[in-house]
Coordinates of all heavy atoms in Angstrom, one line a residue:
M1 N 0.8 -1.2 0.0 CA 0.0 0.0 0.0 C 0.9 1.3 0.0 O 0.6 2.2 -0.7 CB -0.9 -0.1 1.2 CG -1.9 1.0 1.3 SD -3.1 0.8 0.0 CE -4.2 2.1 0.3
K2 N 2.0 1.2 0.8 CA 2.8 2.4 0.9 C 3.5 2.6 -0.5 O 3.6 3.8 -0.9 CB 3.9 2.1 1.9 CG 4.8 3.3 2.2 CD 5.8 3.0 3.3 CE 6.7 4.1 3.5 NZ 7.7 3.8 4.6
K3 N 3.9 1.5 -1.2 CA 4.5 1.7 -2.5 C 3.6 2.3 -3.5 O 3.9 3.1 -4.3 CB 5.1 0.4 -3.0 CG 6.3 -0.1 -2.2 CD 6.8 -1.5 -2.7 CE 7.9 -1.9 -1.9 NZ 8.4 -3.2 -2.3
L4 N 2.3 1.8 -3.5 CA 1.3 2.4 -4.4 C 1.1 3.9 -4.1 O 0.9 4.6 -5.1 CB 0.0 1.6 -4.2 CG -1.2 2.1 -5.0 CD1 -0.9 1.9 -6.5 CD2 -2.5 1.3 -4.6
F5 N 1.0 4.3 -2.9 CA 0.9 5.7 -2.5 C 2.0 6.5 -3.1 O 1.8 7.5 -3.7 CB 0.7 5.8 -1.0 CG 0.7 7.2 -0.5 CD1 -0.4 8.0 -0.7 CD2 1.8 7.8 0.1 CE1 -0.4 9.3 -0.3 CE2 1.8 9.1 0.5 CZ 0.7 9.8 0.3
I6 N 3.2 6.1 -2.8 CA 4.4 6.8 -3.3 C 4.4 6.8 -4.8 O 4.7 7.9 -5.5 CB 5.7 6.2 -2.7 CG1 5.7 6.4 -1.2 CG2 6.9 6.8 -3.4 CD1 6.8 5.7 -0.5
A7 N 4.1 5.7 -5.5 CA 4.0 5.7 -6.9 C 3.0 6.6 -7.5 O 3.2 7.3 -8.5 CB 3.8 4.2 -7.4
S8 N 1.8 6.7 -6.8 CA 0.8 7.6 -7.3 C 1.2 9.1 -7.2 O 1.0 9.9 -8.1 CB -0.5 7.5 -6.4 OG -1.0 6.2 -6.5
L9 N 1.9 9.4 -6.1 CA 2.4 10.8 -6.0 C 3.5 11.1 -7.0 O 3.5 12.1 -7.6 CB 3.0 11.0 -4.6 CG 1.9 11.2 -3.5 CD1 2.7 11.4 -2.1 CD2 1.1 12.4 -3.7
A10 N 4.4 10.1 -7.2 CA 5.5 10.3 -8.2 C 4.9 10.5 -9.6 O 5.3 11.3 -10.4 CB 6.4 9.2 -8.1
A11 N 3.9 9.6 -9.9 CA 3.3 9.7 -11.3 C 2.6 11.1 -11.5 O 2.7 11.7 -12.6 CB 2.3 8.6 -11.4
G12 N 2.0 11.6 -10.5 CA 1.3 12.9 -10.6 C 2.3 14.0 -10.8 O 2.1 14.9 -11.7
F13 N 3.5 13.9 -10.2 CA 4.5 15.0 -10.3 C 5.2 14.8 -11.6 O 5.6 15.8 -12.3 CB 5.4 15.0 -9.1 CG 4.8 15.5 -7.9 CD1 4.8 14.7 -6.8 CD2 4.2 16.7 -7.8 CE1 4.2 15.1 -5.6 CE2 3.6 17.2 -6.6 CZ 3.6 16.4 -5.5
L14 N 5.5 13.6 -12.0 CA 6.2 13.4 -13.3 C 5.4 13.6 -14.5 O 6.0 14.0 -15.5 CB 6.8 11.9 -13.3 CG 7.8 11.6 -12.3 CD1 8.2 10.1 -12.3 CD2 9.1 12.5 -12.5
C15 N 4.1 13.5 -14.4 CA 3.3 13.7 -15.6 C 3.0 15.2 -15.8 O 2.4 15.6 -16.8 CB 1.9 13.0 -15.4 SG 2.1 11.2 -15.5
S16 N 3.4 16.0 -14.9 CA 3.2 17.4 -15.0 C 4.1 18.0 -16.1 O 5.3 17.8 -16.1 CB 3.5 18.1 -13.7 OG 3.4 19.5 -13.8
S17 N 3.5 18.7 -17.0 CA 4.2 19.3 -18.1 C 4.5 20.7 -18.0 O 5.3 21.3 -18.8 CB 3.5 19.0 -19.5 OG 2.3 19.7 -19.4
T18 N 3.9 21.4 -17.0 CA 4.1 22.8 -16.8 C 5.0 23.0 -15.6 O 5.0 22.2 -14.7 CB 2.8 23.5 -16.6 OG1 2.1 23.0 -15.4 CG2 1.9 23.4 -17.8
P19 N 5.8 24.1 -15.5 CA 6.6 24.3 -14.3 C 5.7 24.5 -13.1 O 4.6 25.0 -13.2 CB 7.4 25.6 -14.7 CG 7.0 26.0 -16.0 CD 5.9 25.1 -16.5
A20 N 6.2 24.2 -12.0 CA 5.4 24.3 -10.7 C 5.7 25.6 -10.0 O 6.2 25.7 -9.0 CB 5.8 23.1 -9.8
F21 N 5.2 26.7 -10.7 CA 5.3 28.0 -10.1 C 3.9 28.4 -9.6 O 3.0 28.6 -10.4 CB 5.8 29.1 -11.1 CG 7.2 28.8 -11.5 CD1 7.4 28.5 -12.9 CD2 8.2 28.8 -10.6 CE1 8.7 28.2 -13.3 CE2 9.5 28.5 -11.1 CZ 9.8 28.2 -12.4
A22 N 3.7 28.4 -8.3 CA 2.3 28.8 -7.8 C 2.2 30.3 -7.9 O 3.1 31.1 -7.6 CB 2.2 28.3 -6.4
Q23 N 1.0 30.7 -8.3 CA 0.6 32.1 -8.3 C -0.6 32.3 -7.5 O -1.2 31.4 -7.1 CB 0.4 32.5 -9.8 CG 1.6 32.4 -10.7 CD 1.3 32.8 -12.1 OE1 0.2 33.1 -12.4 NE2 2.3 32.7 -13.0
A24 N -0.9 33.5 -7.2 CA -2.0 33.8 -6.3 C -3.3 33.2 -6.7 O -4.0 32.6 -5.9 CB -2.2 35.4 -6.2
D25 N -3.7 33.3 -8.0 CA -5.0 32.7 -8.4 C -4.8 31.4 -9.1 O -5.8 30.9 -9.7 CB -5.7 33.7 -9.3 CG -6.1 35.0 -8.6 OD1 -6.4 34.8 -7.3 OD2 -6.1 36.0 -9.2
D26 N -3.6 30.8 -9.1 CA -3.4 29.6 -9.8 C -3.4 28.4 -8.9 O -3.6 28.5 -7.7 CB -2.0 29.7 -10.5 CG -1.8 28.7 -11.6 OD1 -2.8 28.0 -12.0 OD2 -0.7 28.6 -12.2
A27 N -3.3 27.2 -9.4 CA -3.2 26.0 -8.6 C -2.1 26.1 -7.6 O -1.0 26.6 -8.0 CB -3.2 24.8 -9.5
V28 N -2.2 25.4 -6.5 CA -1.2 25.5 -5.5 C 0.1 24.8 -6.0 O 1.2 25.3 -5.7 CB -1.7 24.8 -4.2 CG1 -0.6 24.6 -3.2 CG2 -2.8 25.6 -3.6
L29 N 0.0 23.7 -6.7 CA 1.2 22.9 -7.1 C 1.6 23.3 -8.5 O 2.5 22.6 -9.1 CB 0.9 21.4 -7.0 CG 0.6 20.9 -5.6 CD1 0.2 19.5 -5.6 CD2 1.9 21.1 -4.8
G30 N 1.0 24.3 -9.2 CA 1.4 24.7 -10.5 C 0.5 24.3 -11.6 O 0.3 25.0 -12.5
D31 N -0.1 23.1 -11.5 CA -1.2 22.7 -12.4 C -2.3 22.0 -11.7 O -2.1 21.4 -10.6 CB -0.6 21.9 -13.6 CG -0.1 20.5 -13.2 OD1 -0.7 19.9 -12.3 OD2 0.9 20.0 -13.7
R32 N -3.4 21.9 -12.3 CA -4.6 21.4 -11.7 C -4.5 19.9 -11.5 O -4.9 19.3 -10.5 CB -5.9 21.6 -12.5 CG -6.3 23.1 -12.6 CD -6.9 23.6 -11.4 NE -8.3 23.0 -11.2 CZ -8.9 23.1 -10.0 NH1 -8.4 23.8 -9.1 NH2 -10.1 22.6 -9.9
G33 N -3.9 19.1 -12.4 CA -3.8 17.7 -12.3 C -3.0 17.2 -11.1 O -3.4 16.4 -10.3
S34 N -1.8 17.8 -10.9 CA -1.0 17.5 -9.7 C -1.8 17.8 -8.4 O -1.7 17.1 -7.5 CB 0.3 18.2 -9.8 OG 1.1 17.8 -10.8
G35 N -2.4 19.0 -8.4 CA -3.1 19.4 -7.2 C -4.3 18.5 -6.9 O -4.6 18.1 -5.8
M36 N -5.0 18.0 -8.0 CA -6.1 17.0 -7.8 C -5.6 15.7 -7.2 O -6.2 15.1 -6.3 CB -6.8 16.8 -9.1 CG -7.7 18.0 -9.5 SD -8.5 17.6 -11.0 CE -9.7 19.0 -11.1
I37 N -4.5 15.2 -7.7 CA -3.9 14.0 -7.3 C -3.5 14.1 -5.8 O -3.8 13.2 -5.0 CB -2.7 13.5 -8.1 CG1 -3.2 13.1 -9.5 CG2 -2.0 12.4 -7.5 CD1 -2.1 12.8 -10.5
V38 N -2.8 15.1 -5.5 CA -2.4 15.3 -4.1 C -3.6 15.5 -3.2 O -3.6 14.9 -2.1 CB -1.4 16.5 -4.0 CG1 -1.1 16.9 -2.5 CG2 -0.1 16.2 -4.7
D39 N -4.6 16.2 -3.6 CA -5.8 16.4 -2.8 C -6.5 15.1 -2.6 O -6.9 14.8 -1.5 CB -6.7 17.4 -3.5 CG -7.8 17.9 -2.7 OD1 -7.8 17.6 -1.5 OD2 -8.8 18.5 -3.2
L40 N -6.7 14.3 -3.6 CA -7.4 13.0 -3.5 C -6.6 12.0 -2.7 O -7.2 11.3 -1.8 CB -7.6 12.5 -4.9 CG -8.4 11.2 -5.0 CD1 -9.8 11.4 -4.5 CD2 -8.4 10.6 -6.4
V41 N -5.3 11.9 -2.9 CA -4.5 10.8 -2.2 C -4.1 11.2 -0.8 O -4.0 10.4 0.0 CB -3.3 10.4 -3.1 CG1 -2.4 9.4 -2.5 CG2 -3.8 9.9 -4.5
L42 N -3.8 12.5 -0.6 CA -3.1 12.9 0.6 C -4.0 13.8 1.5 O -4.3 13.5 2.6 CB -1.8 13.6 0.3 CG -0.9 13.9 1.5 CD1 -0.5 12.7 2.2 CD2 0.3 14.7 1.0
V43 N -4.5 14.9 0.9 CA -5.1 15.9 1.7 C -6.5 15.5 2.2 O -6.8 15.6 3.4 CB -5.2 17.2 0.9 CG1 -6.0 18.3 1.7 CG2 -3.8 17.7 0.6
R44 N -7.3 14.9 1.3 CA -8.7 14.5 1.7 C -8.7 13.5 2.8 O -9.4 13.6 3.8 CB -9.5 14.0 0.6 CG -9.8 15.0 -0.5 CD -10.8 16.0 -0.1 NE -10.9 17.1 -1.1 CZ -12.0 17.7 -1.6 NH1 -13.1 17.3 -1.1 NH2 -11.9 18.6 -2.5
P45 N -7.9 12.4 2.7 CA -7.8 11.4 3.9 C -7.4 12.1 5.2 O -7.9 11.8 6.2 CB -6.9 10.4 3.4 CG -6.9 10.4 1.9 CD -7.1 11.9 1.6
L46 N -6.4 13.0 5.1 CA -5.9 13.6 6.3 C -6.9 14.5 6.9 O -7.1 14.6 8.1 CB -4.6 14.4 6.0 CG -3.3 13.5 5.8 CD1 -2.2 14.3 5.4 CD2 -3.0 12.6 7.0
T47 N -7.6 15.3 6.1 CA -8.6 16.2 6.6 C -9.8 15.4 7.1 O -10.5 15.9 8.0 CB -9.1 17.2 5.6 OG1 -9.6 16.6 4.4 CG2 -7.9 18.2 5.2
F48 N -10.1 14.2 6.6 CA -11.2 13.4 7.1 C -10.8 12.9 8.5 O -11.6 13.0 9.4 CB -11.4 12.2 6.2 CG -12.5 11.3 6.7 CD1 -13.8 11.7 6.6 CD2 -12.2 10.1 7.3 CE1 -14.8 10.9 7.1 CE2 -13.2 9.3 7.8 CZ -14.5 9.6 7.7
V49 N -9.6 12.5 8.7 CA -9.1 12.1 10.0 C -9.2 13.3 11.0 O -9.6 13.2 12.1 CB -7.7 11.5 9.9 CG1 -7.1 11.3 11.3 CG2 -7.7 10.2 9.2
G50 N -8.8 14.5 10.5 CA -8.8 15.7 11.3 C -10.3 16.0 11.7 O -10.5 16.5 12.8
S51 N -11.2 15.8 10.8 CA -12.6 16.0 11.1 C -13.1 15.1 12.2 O -13.8 15.5 13.1 CB -13.5 15.8 9.8 OG -13.1 16.8 8.8
V52 N -12.7 13.8 12.1 CA -13.1 12.9 13.1 C -12.5 13.3 14.5 O -13.2 13.2 15.5 CB -12.7 11.4 12.7 CG1 -12.9 10.5 13.9 CG2 -13.5 11.0 11.5
V53 N -11.3 13.7 14.5 CA -10.6 14.1 15.7 C -11.3 15.4 16.3 O -11.5 15.5 17.5 CB -9.1 14.4 15.5 CG1 -8.5 15.1 16.7 CG2 -8.4 13.1 15.2
G54 N -11.7 16.3 15.4 CA -12.4 17.5 15.8 C -13.8 17.2 16.4 O -14.2 17.8 17.4
I55 N -14.5 16.2 15.8 CA -15.8 15.8 16.4 C -15.6 15.3 17.8 O -16.3 15.6 18.7 CB -16.5 14.8 15.5 CG1 -16.9 15.5 14.2 CG2 -17.7 14.2 16.2 CD1 -17.4 14.6 13.1
A56 N -14.6 14.4 18.0 CA -14.3 13.9 19.3 C -13.9 15.0 20.3 O -14.4 15.0 21.4 CB -13.2 12.8 19.2
A57 N -13.1 15.9 19.8 CA -12.7 17.0 20.7 C -13.9 17.9 21.1 O -14.0 18.3 22.2 CB -11.6 17.8 20.0
F58 N -14.8 18.1 20.1 CA -16.0 18.9 20.4 C -16.8 18.2 21.5 O -17.3 18.8 22.4 CB -16.8 19.1 19.2 CG -18.1 19.7 19.5 CD1 -18.2 21.1 19.9 CD2 -19.3 19.0 19.3 CE1 -19.4 21.6 20.2 CE2 -20.5 19.6 19.6 CZ -20.6 20.9 20.0
I59 N -17.0 16.9 21.4 CA -17.8 16.1 22.4 C -17.1 16.2 23.7 O -17.8 16.4 24.7 CB -18.0 14.7 21.9 CG1 -18.9 14.6 20.7 CG2 -18.6 13.8 23.0 CD1 -18.9 13.3 20.0
V60 N -15.8 16.1 23.8 CA -15.1 16.2 25.1 C -15.2 17.6 25.7 O -15.3 17.8 26.9 CB -13.6 15.8 24.9 CG1 -12.8 16.1 26.1 CG2 -13.6 14.3 24.6
S61 N -15.3 18.6 24.8 CA -15.3 20.0 25.3 C -16.7 20.5 25.7 O -16.8 21.5 26.3 CB -14.8 20.9 24.2 OG -15.7 21.1 23.1
L62 N -17.7 19.7 25.4 CA -19.1 20.2 25.7 C -19.3 20.5 27.2 O -20.0 21.5 27.4 CB -20.1 19.1 25.2 CG -20.5 19.3 23.7 CD1 -21.5 18.2 23.3 CD2 -21.2 20.6 23.5
P63 N -18.8 19.7 28.1 CA -19.1 20.1 29.5 C -18.5 21.4 29.9 O -18.9 22.0 30.8 CB -18.4 18.9 30.3 CG -18.3 17.8 29.4 CD -18.2 18.4 28.0
F64 N -17.5 21.9 29.1 CA -16.8 23.1 29.4 C -17.4 24.3 28.6 O -17.4 25.4 29.1 CB -15.3 23.0 29.2 CG -14.7 21.8 29.9 CD1 -14.3 20.7 29.2 CD2 -14.5 21.8 31.3 CE1 -13.8 19.6 29.8 CE2 -14.0 20.7 31.9 CZ -13.6 19.6 31.2
T65 N -17.8 24.0 27.4 CA -18.3 25.1 26.5 C -19.8 25.3 26.7 O -20.2 26.5 26.5 CB -18.0 24.7 25.0 OG1 -18.6 23.5 24.7 CG2 -16.5 24.7 24.8
A66 N -20.6 24.3 27.0 CA -22.0 24.5 27.1 C -22.4 25.5 28.2 O -23.2 26.4 28.0 CB -22.7 23.2 27.4
P67 N -21.8 25.4 29.4 CA -22.1 26.4 30.5 C -21.7 27.8 30.2 O -22.3 28.8 30.6 CB -21.4 25.9 31.7 CG -21.1 24.5 31.5 CD -20.9 24.4 30.0
T68 N -20.7 28.0 29.4 CA -20.2 29.3 29.1 C -20.9 29.9 27.8 O -20.6 31.1 27.4 CB -18.7 29.3 28.9 OG1 -18.4 28.5 27.8 CG2 -18.0 28.9 30.1
G69 N -21.7 29.1 27.1 CA -22.3 29.6 25.9 C -21.4 29.6 24.7 O -21.8 30.3 23.7
S70 N -20.3 29.0 24.7 CA -19.4 29.0 23.6 C -19.4 27.7 22.8 O -18.5 27.4 22.0 CB -18.0 29.3 24.1 OG -17.5 28.3 25.0
A71 N -20.4 26.9 23.0 CA -20.5 25.6 22.3 C -20.7 25.8 20.8 O -20.1 25.0 20.0 CB -21.7 24.7 22.8
D72 N -21.4 26.8 20.4 CA -21.6 27.1 18.9 C -20.3 27.5 18.3 O -20.0 27.0 17.2 CB -22.6 28.3 18.7 CG -24.0 27.9 19.1 OD1 -24.3 26.7 19.1 OD2 -24.8 28.8 19.3
E73 N -19.5 28.3 18.9 CA -18.2 28.6 18.4 C -17.2 27.4 18.3 O -16.5 27.2 17.3 CB -17.5 29.7 19.2 CG -16.2 30.2 18.7 CD -15.6 31.3 19.6 OE1 -16.3 31.8 20.4 OE2 -14.4 31.6 19.3
A74 N -17.3 26.6 19.4 CA -16.5 25.4 19.4 C -16.9 24.4 18.3 O -16.1 23.8 17.6 CB -16.5 24.7 20.7
A75 N -18.2 24.3 18.1 CA -18.7 23.4 17.0 C -18.3 23.9 15.6 O -17.9 23.2 14.8 CB -20.2 23.4 17.0
R76 N -18.3 25.2 15.4 CA -17.9 25.8 14.1 C -16.4 25.6 13.9 O -16.0 25.2 12.8 CB -18.2 27.3 14.1 CG -17.9 28.0 12.8 CD -18.3 29.5 12.7 NE -18.0 30.2 13.9 CZ -18.9 30.6 14.9 NH1 -20.1 30.2 14.8 NH2 -18.5 31.3 15.9
E77 N -15.6 25.8 14.9 CA -14.1 25.6 14.7 C -13.7 24.2 14.7 O -12.8 23.8 13.9 CB -13.4 26.4 15.9 CG -13.5 27.9 15.8 CD -12.9 28.5 14.6 OE1 -11.9 28.1 14.1 OE2 -13.5 29.5 14.1
L78 N -14.2 23.3 15.5 CA -13.8 21.9 15.7 C -14.5 21.0 14.7 O -13.9 19.9 14.4 CB -13.9 21.5 17.1 CG -13.1 22.2 18.2 CD1 -13.5 21.7 19.6 CD2 -11.6 22.0 17.9
V79 N -15.7 21.3 14.3 CA -16.5 20.4 13.5 C -16.8 21.0 12.1 O -16.5 20.4 11.1 CB -17.8 20.0 14.2 CG1 -18.6 19.0 13.3 CG2 -17.5 19.3 15.5
G80 N -17.4 22.2 12.1 CA -17.8 22.8 10.9 C -16.7 23.1 9.8 O -16.9 22.7 8.7
K81 N -15.7 23.8 10.2 CA -14.6 24.1 9.3 C -13.9 22.9 8.7 O -13.7 22.8 7.5 CB -13.7 25.1 10.0 CG -14.2 26.5 10.1 CD -13.2 27.5 10.7 CE -13.8 28.9 10.8 NZ -12.8 29.8 11.3
P82 N -13.5 21.9 9.6 CA -12.8 20.8 9.0 C -13.7 20.0 8.1 O -13.3 19.5 7.0 CB -12.5 19.9 10.2 CG -12.4 20.9 11.4 CD -13.4 21.9 11.1
L83 N -15.0 19.8 8.4 CA -15.9 19.1 7.5 C -16.1 19.9 6.2 O -16.2 19.2 5.1 CB -17.3 18.8 8.2 CG -17.3 17.7 9.3 CD1 -18.6 17.7 10.0 CD2 -16.9 16.4 8.7
E84 N -16.2 21.2 6.3 CA -16.4 22.0 5.1 C -15.2 21.8 4.2 O -15.3 21.6 3.0 CB -16.6 23.4 5.4 CG -16.7 24.3 4.2 CD -16.9 25.8 4.5 OE1 -16.2 26.3 5.4 OE2 -17.7 26.4 3.8
Y85 N -14.0 21.9 4.8 CA -12.8 21.8 4.0 C -12.6 20.4 3.4 O -12.1 20.2 2.3 CB -11.6 22.1 4.9 CG -10.3 22.3 4.1 CD1 -10.1 23.5 3.4 CD2 -9.3 21.3 4.0 CE1 -9.0 23.7 2.6 CE2 -8.2 21.5 3.2 CZ -8.0 22.7 2.6 OH -6.9 22.9 1.8
T86 N -13.1 19.3 4.1 CA -13.0 18.0 3.6 C -14.1 17.7 2.5 O -13.7 17.1 1.4 CB -13.2 17.0 4.7 OG1 -12.2 17.2 5.7 CG2 -13.0 15.5 4.2
F87 N -15.3 18.1 2.7 CA -16.4 17.6 1.8 C -17.0 18.7 0.9 O -17.8 18.3 0.0 CB -17.5 17.0 2.7 CG -17.0 15.7 3.4 CD1 -16.8 15.7 4.7 CD2 -16.8 14.6 2.6 CE1 -16.4 14.5 5.4 CE2 -16.4 13.4 3.3 CZ -16.2 13.4 4.6
N88 N -16.8 19.9 1.2 CA -17.4 21.0 0.4 C -16.4 21.8 -0.4 O -16.6 23.1 -0.5 CB -18.3 21.9 1.4 CG -19.3 22.7 0.6 OD1 -19.6 22.5 -0.5 ND2 -19.7 23.8 1.3
R89 N -15.4 21.2 -0.9 CA -14.4 21.9 -1.6 C -14.1 21.2 -2.9 O -14.1 20.0 -3.0 CB -13.1 21.9 -0.8 CG -11.9 22.6 -1.3 CD -10.8 22.7 -0.2 NE -10.5 21.4 0.4 CZ -9.7 20.5 -0.2 NH1 -9.2 20.7 -1.4 NH2 -9.4 19.4 0.4
P90 N -14.0 21.9 -4.1 CA -13.7 21.3 -5.3 C -12.4 20.6 -5.3 O -11.4 21.1 -4.6 CB -13.7 22.4 -6.3 CG -14.4 23.5 -5.7 CD -14.2 23.4 -4.2
L91 N -12.3 19.5 -5.9 CA -11.0 18.7 -5.9 C -9.9 19.5 -6.5 O -10.0 20.1 -7.6 CB -11.2 17.4 -6.8 CG -10.1 16.4 -6.7 CD1 -10.0 15.8 -5.3 CD2 -10.4 15.2 -7.7
G92 N -8.8 19.6 -5.8 CA -7.6 20.3 -6.2 C -7.6 21.8 -5.8 O -6.6 22.5 -6.0
D93 N -8.7 22.3 -5.3 CA -8.8 23.7 -4.9 C -8.7 23.8 -3.4 O -9.5 23.4 -2.7 CB -10.2 24.3 -5.3 CG -10.3 25.8 -5.1 OD1 -9.4 26.4 -4.5 OD2 -11.3 26.4 -5.6
F94 N -7.5 24.3 -3.0 CA -7.2 24.3 -1.6 C -7.6 25.6 -0.9 O -7.4 25.8 0.3 CB -5.7 24.1 -1.4 CG -5.2 22.8 -1.9 CD1 -4.7 22.7 -3.2 CD2 -5.3 21.7 -1.2 CE1 -4.3 21.5 -3.7 CE2 -4.9 20.4 -1.6 CZ -4.4 20.3 -2.9
R95 N -8.2 26.6 -1.6 CA -8.6 27.8 -1.0 C -10.0 28.1 -0.9 O -10.5 28.8 0.0 CB -7.9 29.0 -1.8 CG -6.4 28.9 -1.8 CD -5.9 30.1 -2.7 NE -4.5 30.0 -2.7 CZ -3.8 29.6 -3.8 NH1 -4.4 29.3 -4.9 NH2 -2.5 29.5 -3.8
N96 N -10.8 27.6 -1.8 CA -12.3 27.9 -1.9 C -13.1 26.8 -1.6 O -12.8 25.6 -2.0 CB -12.6 28.5 -3.3 CG -11.7 29.7 -3.6 OD1 -11.7 30.6 -2.8 ND2 -11.1 29.7 -4.7
C97 N -14.3 27.0 -1.0 CA -15.3 26.0 -0.7 C -16.6 26.3 -1.2 O -16.9 27.5 -1.5 CB -15.4 25.8 0.8 SG -13.9 25.1 1.6
G98 N -17.5 25.4 -1.4 CA -18.8 25.6 -1.8 C -19.0 26.0 -3.2 O -18.1 26.2 -4.0
A99 N -20.3 26.0 -3.6 CA -20.7 26.3 -5.0 C -20.4 27.8 -5.3 O -20.1 28.1 -6.5 CB -22.1 26.0 -5.3
D100 N -20.4 28.6 -4.3 CA -20.2 30.1 -4.5 C -18.7 30.4 -4.4 O -18.3 31.6 -4.5 CB -21.0 30.9 -3.5 CG -20.7 30.6 -2.1 OD1 -19.9 29.6 -1.8 OD2 -21.1 31.3 -1.2
R101 N -17.9 29.4 -4.1 CA -16.4 29.6 -4.0 C -16.0 30.6 -3.0 O -15.1 31.4 -3.2 CB -15.8 29.9 -5.4 CG -16.1 28.9 -6.5 CD -15.4 27.6 -6.2 NE -15.4 26.7 -7.3 CZ -16.3 25.7 -7.5 NH1 -17.3 25.6 -6.6 NH2 -16.3 24.9 -8.6
H102 N -16.6 30.5 -1.8 CA -16.1 31.4 -0.7 C -14.9 30.8 -0.1 O -14.6 29.6 -0.2 CB -17.3 31.5 0.3 CG -17.6 30.2 1.0 ND1 -18.5 29.3 0.5 CD2 -17.1 29.7 2.1 CE1 -18.6 28.3 1.3 NE2 -17.8 28.5 2.3
P103 N -14.1 31.7 0.6 CA -12.9 31.1 1.2 C -13.2 30.1 2.3 O -14.2 30.3 3.0 CB -12.2 32.4 1.9 CG -12.8 33.5 1.1 CD -14.2 33.1 0.7
C104 N -12.5 29.0 2.3 CA -12.8 27.9 3.2 C -12.7 28.4 4.7 O -11.7 29.1 5.0 CB -11.9 26.7 3.0 SG -12.1 25.9 1.5
G105 N -13.7 28.1 5.4 CA -13.7 28.5 6.8 C -14.1 30.0 7.0 O -14.1 30.5 8.1
G106 N -14.5 30.7 5.9 CA -14.7 32.1 6.0 C -16.1 32.5 6.4 O -16.5 33.6 6.4
R107 N -17.0 31.5 6.5 CA -18.4 31.9 6.8 C -18.6 31.9 8.3 O -18.1 31.3 9.1 CB -19.3 30.8 6.2 CG -19.5 31.1 4.7 CD -20.5 30.2 4.2 NE -20.9 30.6 2.9 CZ -21.8 30.1 2.2 NH1 -22.4 29.0 2.6 NH2 -22.1 30.5 1.0

């Protein structure tokens, strides 16, 4: 499995025909294909794990945040933003979320 993962990343970078110069409005890795491969193979699984950890942390924090009225803010930061970044973002786009392409976590 580890060899397949490394081979997938290497293939994505080797198949890139454009130089990898990131610009403000351009893909993070220089071209959309490489960004999509890295997003699919590496970023999405990691952000999914981060979302699960955030949900667990939110549940543990409830006895402390509920009495102070900050449970909504904790839910937004620990659950909402990670889930939005994982599931509501176009593949390969690391900055914008949703159909309206708002900045991730900016709502």
Side-chain angles (χ1 to χ4, degrees):
M1 185 71 177
K2 184 177 178 182
K3 290 180 182 180
L4 178 64
F5 173 73
I6 293 171
S8 299
L9 285 178
F13 290 120
L14 293 176
C15 291
S16 174
S17 61
T18 58
F21 298 116
Q23 297 176 1
D25 293 330
D26 201 5
V28 172
L29 297 174
D31 68 37
R32 293 284 293 167
S34 295
M36 287 181 170
I37 290 171
V38 170
D39 192 11
L40 181 66
V41 174
L42 185 65
V43 176
R44 297 286 171 139
L46 289 175
T47 57
F48 179 75
V49 170
S51 297
V52 172
V53 170
I55 291 168
F58 172 69
I59 292 170
V60 170
S61 75
L62 274 175
F64 308 105
T65 58
T68 63
S70 61
D72 290 341
E73 184 179 347
R76 184 175 44 258
E77 293 296 324
L78 297 174
V79 178
K81 286 183 179 182
L83 286 175
E84 178 183 41
Y85 194 76
T86 302
F87 295 109
N88 195 18
R89 185 172 49 81
L91 191 63
D93 187 350
F94 298 96
R95 295 183 184 103
N96 302 308
C97 291
D100 61 351
R101 302 294 191 264
H102 63 274
C104 292
R107 283 186 165 181

